[in-house]
Amino acid sequence: MRSHKTPPVAIVGGGIAGLTAARALRERAIPVRIFEAGTELAGLARSFKDEQGFSFDFGAHFVTNRLAAALDMGAVCRTVPRYGEVVRKGGRYSAYPLGLLANPRHDLSAASARLRALFDRTPPRDAAEAFRREYGEAFADEIALPLVEAWAGAPADRLAPSVLQKLPGSILRTLLMRAAGRLTHRAVAIGYCREQPESPHVWHVYPEGGMGALCARLAEGLEETVSLQSRVEKIYVVDGRAVGLRVNGKDFDAAAVISTAPIHVLPKLVEGTDALAPFAAFKFRAMTFCNLHLHGRGLLPDVVVWLPERGFRTFRVTEATQSMPWLAPEGKTTLTIDVGCHAGDAWWQLSEEAVIDRCLDDVRPLVPDVRERLIGGRVLRTPIAYPVFLREYENARRRLSEDGTGVAGLLSVGRNGEFDHLLMEDVYYRTLDRARRLADELRRAPAPRNAPSPTPARRRGKAAVASRAVS
Ligand SMILES: Cc1cc2nc3c(=O)[nH]c(=O)nc-3n(C[C@H](O)[C@H](O)[C@H](O)COP(=O)(O)OP(=O)(O)OC[C@H]3O[C@@H](n4cnc5c(N)ncnc54)[C@H](O)[C@@H]3O)c2cc1C
């Protein structure tokens, strides 16, 4: 006997985006079902703690007090008291952005670039041109472009100019916010969120128990809707509308589907339309994060050291304990070394010991006695750390960001679903907004009750449904 109930909205993925979407729909009395491929929730926002008391994440993570308050978690978050970045060039460190501003060669080159821009209004062709016009050739070629290329894994002339728009706001604003942070002894959030305004009253915090605690809070009350180890294998589209999905070999009806899976995977999941085909070409940068656990503290001149010089395998080394001392036992610290790679390449396949060994060599110019300080290390890898904005698919990327998937009832949300450099606060507010709009649409025009099952007639599409209607 077939059920007469409206099918739930199916959510692909139980990271912060999937959980936020589920909550937003539940608040509007729309039934949901979350399918998570992994053995636990939180996705990229997972935190790890080892037996020696070191905590670490995918990269260094923090959120804002504003997001913590929205999730009613303010009381269980610690304030991050400070945050700072330096750039190392020719063995010398310059504070970002003040120290870099003090370089007269950079200033001169930036001023002449601005002057030229007054007479040349043509849009830049690629990221290299965009950076040179914005910052001048000296700063672009010596600092910004080597970092962008190491981070993206592609030459800047293959990257779209939109890479520049994804970077934090103006230098003046950054300086003002940094000054506010110094006065208040809080790491004021700068360039962190696009959906909500920057303010001296918005600063970084870290939840007790790590980032995963945020997702655990979001998951409260949703327990019976979550299926773990449930990889979505197919999403069925009939007549241009998402109507169901296949999970672990079983088919389900769905009023709509919200996917948080990486966008380049979605076209492979969708059956019944080619609308998403252009998104299959999108590339993500794979990263290894090598966490070196060391004796000592304050080994770097600041929390983050950027390394634009080509001699380094890494482009960034972070000592998160300078911001968040609770991440390591007293008198000890962790350096995180980010190394970009391609999933499956020689670096990706190295053993954990080999990655640690090579990263120790890379860090030696910064911390000469790093090997003597070593307690141990942990390497995290992800094939989907950063979206890479290649020019060759820039039009398709814009289409995704402006029009969505092009399939009714199929949303692609979250950092990798939107193919954007979104941090958790943006993921939260954007997903909330989109899920609420979907809920309103579904309430105006609910999915048909007792809808025919996506299997097998629906999967054959309109013709199969029509032939049954007349039989
Ligand atoms: C290096 C790095 C540093 C960062 N630092 C910060 C920071 O300091 N502050 C901050 O706010 N944000 C930070 N972020 C961003 C933040 O981690 C992400 O924005 C956020 O975790 C993304 O959540 P999501 O739900 O969109 O995606 P994810 O967390 O990737 O969740 C997607 C989920 O979908 C599941 N899934 C995928 N395919 C399927 C399928 N077919 N079937 C079922 N399940 C599937 C996955 O297993 C995963 O659990 C950082 C990100 C990186 C990479």
Side-chain angles (χ1 to χ4, degrees):
M1 185 92 167
R2 295 180 47 71
S3 158
H4 283 252
K5 277 174 45 190
T6 305
V9 172
I11 296 176
V12 186
I16 186 170
L19 294 166
T20 301
R23 274 183 91 96
L25 292 165
R26 279 284 286 267
E27 276 164 17
R28 282 163 161 69
I30 306 272
V32 295
R33 180 128 187 219
I34 302 171
F35 298 102
E36 167 53 51
T39 54
E40 55 187 298
L41 296 174
L44 275 174
R46 265 169 303 148
S47 307
F48 306 84
K49 188 161 188 172
D50 68 14
E51 27 336 304
Q52 292 165 308
F54 290 94
S55 305
F56 46 96
D57 298 83
F58 281 103
H61 269 102
F62 24 60
V63 291
T64 60
N65 60 324
R66 181 169 51 197
L67 178 60
L71 301 181
D72 199 19
M73 289 191 71
V76 292
C77 285
R78 304 195 220 208
T79 294
V80 175
R82 62 174 297 273
Y83 177 80
E85 301 171 35
V86 295
V87 176
R88 186 182 196 272
K89 190 88 187 29
R92 290 181 49 198
Y93 294 96
S94 309
Y96 173 85
L98 208 54
L100 293 173
L101 285 180
N103 184 329
R105 222 162 39 76
H106 290 169
D107 296 344
L108 204 65
S109 150
S112 80
R114 289 282 162 90
L115 197 66
R116 277 200 305 274
L118 290 177
F119 303 98
D120 181 3
R121 298 272 177 196
T122 53
R125 270 189 322 261
D126 52 46
E129 207 171 287
F131 274 85
R132 288 184 187 124
R133 283 197 201 175
E134 183 70 20
Y135 297 116
E137 283 175 16
F139 180 78
D141 290 337
E142 290 166 25
I143 311 281
L145 291 175
L147 289 173
V148 166
E149 291 182 343
W151 162 74
D157 58 7
R158 277 192 66 201
L159 297 171
S162 50
V163 170
L164 183 62
Q165 286 142 28
K166 303 293 166 187
L167 296 180
S170 78
I171 287 185
L172 180 62
R173 181 141 188 90
T174 306
L175 286 176
L176 290 174
M177 301 298 269
R178 283 266 151 89
R182 239 176 236 158
L183 289 174
T184 57
H185 299 289
R186 292 169 182 148
V188 169
I190 306 169
Y192 178 88
C193 184
R194 282 182 257 152
E195 295 295 307
Q196 303 281 318
E198 269 178 1
S199 145
H201 305 294
V202 180
W203 62 84
H204 290 298
V205 297
Y206 189 85
E208 302 268 0
M211 284 298 139
L214 287 180
C215 290
R217 169 59 58 92
L218 280 166
E220 279 172 18
L222 293 170
E223 293 80 1
E224 81 286 5
T225 71
V226 175
S227 304
L228 295 175
Q229 292 181 277
S230 299
R231 178 171 294 284
V232 172
E233 296 150 351
K234 283 194 190 312
I235 297 171
Y236 299 120
V237 174
V238 175
D239 293 341
R241 182 165 193 95
V243 294
L245 67 180
R246 168 167 282 228
V247 185
N248 291 345
K250 219 174 138 205
D251 287 340
F252 296 86
D253 287 343
V257 178
I258 300 183
S259 172
T260 71
I263 186 67
H264 65 331
V265 172
L266 203 52
K268 296 183 196 106
L269 301 183
V270 169
E271 196 176 279
T273 176
D274 290 336
L276 288 92
F279 308 144
F282 290 10
K283 304 236 175 329
F284 285 86
R285 180 71 157 149
M287 296 292 290
T288 59
F289 303 103
C290 176
N291 294 291
L292 299 176
H293 302 319
L294 305 167
H295 289 290
R297 274 275 165 106
L299 304 183
L300 299 184
D302 216 323
V303 182
V304 173
V305 176
W306 294 100
L307 297 161
E309 281 169 324
R310 309 259 181 210
F312 287 96
R313 202 178 334 248
T314 175
F315 59 96
R316 177 168 64 185
V317 182
T318 307
E319 187 174 8
T321 55
Q322 290 200 35
S323 267
M324 298 177 277
W326 51 84
L327 294 180
E330 229 178 291
K332 296 176 183 162
T333 196
T334 300
L335 299 188
T336 305
I337 293 102
D338 299 10
V339 181
C341 57
H342 298 284
D345 71 8
W347 179 264
W348 182 260
Q349 287 178 36
L350 284 180
S351 68
E352 187 166 58
E353 295 70 36
V355 171
I356 291 171
D357 191 58
R358 286 166 172 73
C359 285
L360 283 166
D361 282 344
D362 231 24
V363 166
R364 210 162 30 192
L366 283 66
V367 184
D369 57 353
V370 64
R371 280 188 184 271
E372 291 81 76
R373 291 177 179 274
L374 187 68
I375 299 165
R378 277 293 301 274
V379 177
L380 297 176
R381 301 169 212 251
T382 174
I384 49 164
Y386 302 112
V388 181
F389 288 12
L390 290 181
R391 284 169 65 202
E392 63 203 48
Y393 47 68
E394 178 63 0
N395 288 342
R397 188 196 67 77
R398 281 216 197 112
R399 213 181 66 217
L400 173 72
S401 111
E402 283 156 23
D403 306 334
T405 63
V407 173
L410 175 60
L411 301 187
S412 183
V413 303
R415 180 178 169 99
N416 300 319
E418 292 201 49
F419 197 66
D420 205 347
H421 298 273
L422 300 178
L423 299 179
M424 279 182 269
E425 195 172 18
D426 272 335
V427 169
Y428 175 76
Y429 284 110
R430 292 175 68 82
T431 307
L432 211 54
D433 178 55
R434 296 180 69 190
R436 283 175 178 163
R437 278 193 277 142
L438 175 69
D440 292 344
E441 272 169 37
L442 288 174
R443 283 204 303 204
R444 276 199 304 272
R449 283 171 188 268
N450 201 12
S453 164
T455 67
R458 269 208 156 193
R459 270 190 283 144
R460 286 201 297 271
K462 200 175 175 177
V465 174
S467 67
R468 190 176 42 201
V470 294
S471 64

